[in-house]
């Protein structure tokens, strides 16, 4: 008993619209070639969601024998967020050029600040000890890894 119901059309219509907006070219973009032969390929994160629903109901002024009416709706949302660029250079090889997302909460901001803070502490310690700042930074990294090993 495969009875056709209007909710099927509603859901199929919503999914078709999403399919038309999102394809493989949305995630891995069209390659761009520069005059020097470098190829840049954009890579994005795509998230989407959709919902639909409906109901059959008896209209107020209809007779008992009248078929039920259908009311429904659907919605969809799509977000495309650039993540990085894949750069293929004839002279420098291939590398990933990340896009720094802006910190949205305190934890993200702290993570962003750590490299700068380590650099400042290293420079401060190097000046106090009269050492080379790069050597002091390496010593800090070595000491940290030795204390964090199980």
């Amino acid at each position: 008993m495969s009875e056709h119901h209007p909710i099927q059309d509603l859901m199929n219509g919503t999914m078709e619209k999403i399919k038309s907006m999102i394809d493989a070219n949305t995630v891995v973009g069209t390659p761009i070639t520069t005059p020097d032969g470098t190829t840049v390929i954009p890579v994005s994160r795509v998230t989407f969601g959709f919902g639909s629903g409906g109901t059959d109901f008896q209209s107020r002024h209809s007779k008992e024998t009248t078929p039920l009416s259908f009311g429904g709706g659907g919605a969809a949302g799509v977000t495309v967020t650039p993540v990085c660029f894949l750069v293929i250079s004839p002279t420098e090889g291939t590398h990933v050029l990340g896009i720094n997302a802006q910190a949205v909460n305190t934890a993200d901001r702290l993570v962003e600040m750590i490299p700068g803070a380590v650099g400042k502490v290293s420079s401060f310690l190097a000046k106090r000890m009269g050492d080379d700042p790069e050597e002091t930074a390496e010593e800090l990294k070595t000491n940290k890894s030795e204390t964090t090993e199980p």
Side-chain angles (χ1 to χ4, degrees):
M1 282 206 238
S2 66
E3 215 174 281
H4 183 77
H5 195 274
I7 193 77
Q8 293 170 323
D9 294 334
L10 185 64
M11 291 179 71
N12 287 338
T14 304
M15 288 303 294
E16 286 301 317
K17 292 291 182 181
I18 290 174
K19 271 194 209 175
S20 71
M21 289 188 286
I22 302 170
D23 63 1
N25 291 328
T26 307
V27 177
V28 179
T30 305
I32 303 162
T33 305
T34 62
D36 70 347
T38 301
T39 302
V40 179
I41 304 170
V43 180
S44 300
R45 175 185 303 125
V46 177
T47 55
F48 71 94
F50 84 97
S52 60
T55 185
D56 291 320
F57 61 95
Q58 189 76 39
S59 156
R60 286 186 193 177
H61 304 292
S62 65
K63 297 179 183 176
E64 289 288 324
T65 57
T66 305
L68 296 175
S69 298
F70 174 77
V78 178
T79 302
V80 179
T81 308
V83 176
C84 66
F85 293 97
L86 182 60
V87 180
I88 306 166
S89 171
T91 56
E92 298 176 22
T94 303
H95 63 279
V96 176
L97 179 62
I99 297 175
N100 293 333
Q102 188 165 358
V104 292
N105 58 36
T106 305
D108 290 344
R109 285 187 192 98
L110 286 172
V111 169
E112 285 181 356
M113 292 171 57
I114 288 172
V118 169
K120 287 180 181 179
V121 169
S122 297
S123 296
F124 174 74
L125 291 174
K127 287 177 186 174
R128 287 198 52 122
M129 298 172 154
D131 293 337
D132 180 19
E134 289 183 10
E135 289 176 11
T136 305
E138 281 302 314
E139 288 175 20
L140 285 173
K141 288 178 189 174
T142 305
N143 291 339
K144 183 179 179 188
S145 65
E146 288 173 359
T147 58
T148 58
E149 289 181 6

